[in-house]
Amino acid sequence: MPTEQPNKRVPIIAGNWKMNLDVAESLRLVREMRERLEAVTGVEKVLCPPFTSLAPLQAELAGSAVKLGGQNVFWEEKGAYTGEISPLMLKPLCEYVIVGHSERRQYFVETDATVNKRVQAALKHGLKVIMCVGENLEDNRSGRTEEVIARQVRGGLENVPDLSEIVIAYEPVWAIGTGLPATGAGAAAVVSFIRRTLAERYGDNAARNTRVQYGGSVNGGNIAEFMGESEIDGALVGGASLKAADFTTIVARTAEIKGSQAS
Ligand code: 13P
């Protein structure tokens, strides 16, 4: 029997600001949250503002433990791709990039194949990836959640040799921006399924060491329900990440709860 390695997963809370906040508003929000975020240890903290705010926030956060991420990345390095952002442009500005968010899949014709191209390009250029997966309401209601999630996980990670720089975000589409989150137990069951899917290709240890977040109507009031599930390693937060009090509460509660699970 191989010996089981301990779980080494550091919880990660990422704020996806989506298409909100100009540069001045971004700086204001970060100045409001910064001290409280930095005071929390044991949780990785990532802010994903619009591209236009990355450089000013990088300067503002110099020397801070609060990290930055992009919300998308194109797969080509440069060229005639009007409106796109290359991994070479992102790399000097941030550590993470979100890929395959359901809003990109829904409004910008993102497919598992294009998600995969973005994942590979990001990794090639040293960016860490938060890859989003999640079923829509119809798939959920008709019992196809696992089928959809397995296809998104396998497709998004095609030809990705290892998971060391990958975080998966499980974001059921029906829970995003609706104020109707999944239950902790329901999300944990899908997160376990994601780990089983990862294990098929990468083995049990790699799957066990890969962080999987939950996202979808997370706020300061319900974060405990999700972080109480040991399978879930943090959250990808939309609306509540635009409110300093809510976001800092989410980070602080995560540290408390995950700290007590680890001990
Ligand atoms: P909400 O937290 O606003 O539901 O958004 C979740 C999300 O899409 C994060 O990427």
Side-chain angles (χ1 to χ4, degrees), residues 30-43:
V30 162
R31 285 173 187 147
E32 214 182 328
M33 300 194 290
R34 178 181 177 157
E35 243 174 68
R36 272 174 286 167
L37 292 179
E38 287 170 350
V40 177
T41 56
V43 175

Side-chain angles (χ1 to χ4, degrees), residues 133-134 149-150 153 168-171 187-200 207 210-213 231:
V133 298
I149 298 290
V153 169
I168 308 280
Y170 169 54
E171 297 206 308
V190 180
V191 169
S192 296
F193 175 76
I194 290 171
R195 284 218 168 79
R196 292 201 296 280
T197 306
L198 294 174
E200 289 167 7
T210 299
R211 293 176 296 177
V212 186
Q213 302 170 299
E231 280 289 307

